[in-house]
Amino acid sequence: QVQLVESGGGLVQPGGSLRLSCAVSGRIISINAMGWYRQAPGKQRELVAHINSRGSTNYADSVKGRFTISRDNAKNTVYLQMNSLKPEDTAVYYCNADVFDRFYDLLNVGGQGTQVTVSS
């Protein structure tokens, strides 16, 4: 069974930094695109950052210049480095990945979410 395990959330003051990690576990052939989404209370889930299999990235306008998504293919892990955090970045952050499992089926897998709170 393919699973995503997220870590790195927490409480940080405005202007601070956090690094989220998301590791893919299970028997897989390869990972295509990976991304981070977030959902704040009372708001819809939104795409924060996305990285494809070639390493091309795109970001929500609200995080451009502050957040950086990267991946380590050897570790089947995607990261989200978040700098200059603002209170409006407070949300549950979810990892998502398109994965080829051992049967060569393409699966879209989501993580359980990690809370990020930006507050003084």
Side-chain angles (χ1 to χ4, degrees), residues 3-103:
Q3 292 182 318
L4 303 184
V5 179
E6 298 146 336
S7 60
L11 173 64
V12 64
Q13 291 187 343
S17 298
L18 281 175
R19 188 194 195 204
L20 305 182
S21 300
C22 172
V24 180
S25 65
R27 297 176 65 181
I28 62 172
I29 301 300
S30 64
I31 304 172
N32 273 7
M34 306 182 81
W36 288 95
Y37 294 77
R38 68 185 180 186
Q39 187 165 19
K43 294 188 177 181
Q44 289 188 329
R45 188 174 297 193
E46 63 174 351
L47 176 66
V48 176
H50 178 271
I51 184 167
N52 68 16
S53 59
R54 297 183 301 276
S56 296
T57 60
N58 62 73
Y59 298 89
D61 288 341
S62 59
V63 307
K64 282 181 181 177
R66 300 188 298 122
F67 290 12
T68 303
I69 188 171
S70 61
R71 61 191 289 171
D72 184 334
N73 292 329
K75 296 181 179 180
N76 290 338
T77 300
V78 64
Y79 305 96
L80 185 67
Q81 178 66 44
M82 305 184 294
N83 298 328
S84 302
L85 282 161
K86 304 175 181 180
E88 51 264 43
D89 294 318
T90 296
V92 178
Y93 284 70
Y94 298 90
C95 177
N96 187 276
D98 291 329
V99 177
F100 281 105
D101 69 7
R102 61 194 177 102
F103 302 110

